[in-house]
Amino acid sequence: MLTLQCPYCGVDADETELSPGGEAHLKRFGPGSTDEEFEDYLFARQNPKGVHFERWRHAYGCGKWFLAARCTMTLEVFGTYSAQTTEPPQTIKDAITAKRPGWTWGTLS
Amino acid sequence: MSEPVTELGGKVVEGWVTVRDAGLCGMITLRGDLESKAVKDICKKVTGVAFPKPLSAGADGRSGLCWMSPDEMLVMVPYADVQMALSDIHSALQGTHYAAENVSDARSVMFLEGAGAREVVAKLAPVDLHPDHFKVGDFRRSRLGQVAAAFWMRDEETFEIVCFRSVGDYCFSLLSASAEAGPVSVF
């Protein structure tokens, strides 16, 4: 079972209280972008074995969207953080590096 | 004018733990900056209850304040006083970024009474309800069975439960079934 701490209300929320929102840190390509960029934005997703960043919504609780860093292989949660950011905070990156030295994810590492 | 009624029509199921329709409750959803003095002051003024900390609630009779989320407060007042409380809120917060709406008839409220109330809820919600963790005054939005609900402990033997009116009957039946099934003695 997955338990994520909501960074807005501080509740340790059970998976059944949450709604998954797919991959985090997507950059939108809309009007004016090339077809390849638009296709990537719509369809191309990472499918890592290991470190992953996701969006979750505390749907049955405070209703806020937040971001989570976790491992898809062990289900270990490295941390959750505010959705009002374009990149994971350094504390989250450090927590991942401590457990998974040399990790990469997209352009992040 | 039509006479307001609750969705549960005053239903009571007595037993090891009693499930009771709380009757008509005045409820106002107030969204805004909960850190601001104006919001804190008007909440205290219309309810007479101290402004609650995050994840908690407080009540005095039918008036109370429930912390719903970092920007939302559920203001509870006697049913007949809702319009007055709402206009007080509007005049106090005018010009600031906020939203206040009367949701009295969009919600169902019920009470769980009895020493086993904690167990009745614990069987239905993915929440740690151990006495060391969930105490009197603690408020939690979560789910009961398959529906969204919020609950808090008014005292050691009383839970107050708020859910959407459309699922009020489901919620009441669920709690009654949980109460009827008896204790599981985990606490």
Side-chain angles (χ1 to χ4, degrees):
Chain A
M1 194 196 295
L2 182 66
T3 304
L4 297 176
Q5 189 181 60
C6 172
Y8 292 94
C9 65
V11 158
D12 286 320
D14 177 76
E15 189 178 346
T16 57
E17 262 186 57
L18 304 165
S19 298
E23 188 176 314
H25 303 301
L26 291 178
K27 186 184 174 194
R28 181 172 183 269
F29 288 93
S33 61
T34 65
D35 285 354
E36 286 71 31
E37 282 171 338
F38 188 55
E39 185 196 2
D40 269 6
Y41 163 64
L42 277 185
F43 303 113
R45 292 292 179 269
Q46 318 232 13
N47 185 21
K49 181 181 178 185
V51 174
H52 196 27
F53 295 88
E54 294 170 324
R55 301 166 74 222
W56 288 88
R57 181 173 174 252
H58 194 190
Y60 282 90
C62 65
K64 304 294 179 204
W65 282 100
F66 63 91
L67 306 180
R70 66 184 189 103
C71 177
T72 58
M73 193 161 54
T74 62
L75 298 189
E76 181 178 2
V77 177
F78 301 115
T80 55
Y81 52 100
S82 160
Q84 277 75 44
T85 173
T86 53
E87 200 177 297
Q90 195 57 42
T91 50
I92 298 286
K93 288 185 182 175
D94 291 345
I96 302 172
T97 304
K99 298 277 182 62
R100 303 281 189 280
W103 66 278
T104 59
W105 186 86
T107 58
L108 301 171
S109 61
Chain B
M1 200 178 139
S2 56
E3 188 191 338
V5 291
T6 64
E7 204 261 346
L8 298 166
K11 253 196 284 189
V12 181
V13 173
E14 299 203 22
W16 164 58
V17 171
T18 296
V19 193
R20 184 190 306 281
D21 176 12
L24 292 168
C25 299
M27 282 172 275
I28 296 165
T29 284
L30 174 62
R31 297 198 79 144
D33 178 8
L34 299 189
E35 302 293 313
S36 86
K37 191 175 180 301
V39 169
K40 288 184 177 181
D41 286 351
I42 191 64
C43 282
K44 274 184 267 185
K45 190 184 152 215
V46 296
T47 60
V49 174
F51 198 78
K53 286 201 270 291
L55 299 172
S56 66
D60 180 10
R62 302 316 295 263
S63 293
L65 291 170
C66 303
W67 189 92
M68 300 292 275
S69 85
D71 57 2
E72 181 178 339
M73 187 64 67
L74 184 67
V75 180
M76 304 183 97
V77 290
Y79 190 83
D81 301 344
V82 170
Q83 288 310 334
M84 207 169 65
L86 199 56
S87 56
D88 283 352
I89 291 172
H90 285 314
S91 48
L93 298 181
Q94 202 176 20
T96 67
H97 183 66
Y98 81 102
E101 198 59 57
N102 176 4
V103 294
S104 309
D105 299 309
R107 305 274 187 275
S108 279
V109 183
M110 54 205 88
F111 290 128
L112 267 184
E113 296 154 354
R118 191 185 282 278
E119 282 190 44
V120 170
V121 177
K123 284 193 275 183
L124 305 170
V127 177
D128 182 1
L129 284 160
H130 191 278
D132 292 345
H133 190 256
F134 199 87
K135 301 189 169 78
V136 172
D138 282 356
F139 179 89
R140 181 70 195 262
R141 272 172 90 179
S142 183
R143 62 182 179 85
L144 288 178
Q146 302 182 32
V147 300
F151 49 82
W152 70 288
M153 284 179 85
R154 287 183 84 102
D155 60 53
E156 210 42 72
E157 299 195 347
T158 313
F159 270 74
E160 182 168 9
I161 291 140
V162 183
C163 66
F164 289 115
R165 186 187 181 108
S166 56
V167 294
D169 187 57
Y170 170 86
C171 222
F172 189 89
S173 305
L174 189 72
L175 291 164
S176 312
S178 177
E180 199 186 341
V184 285
S185 308
V186 285
F187 299 130

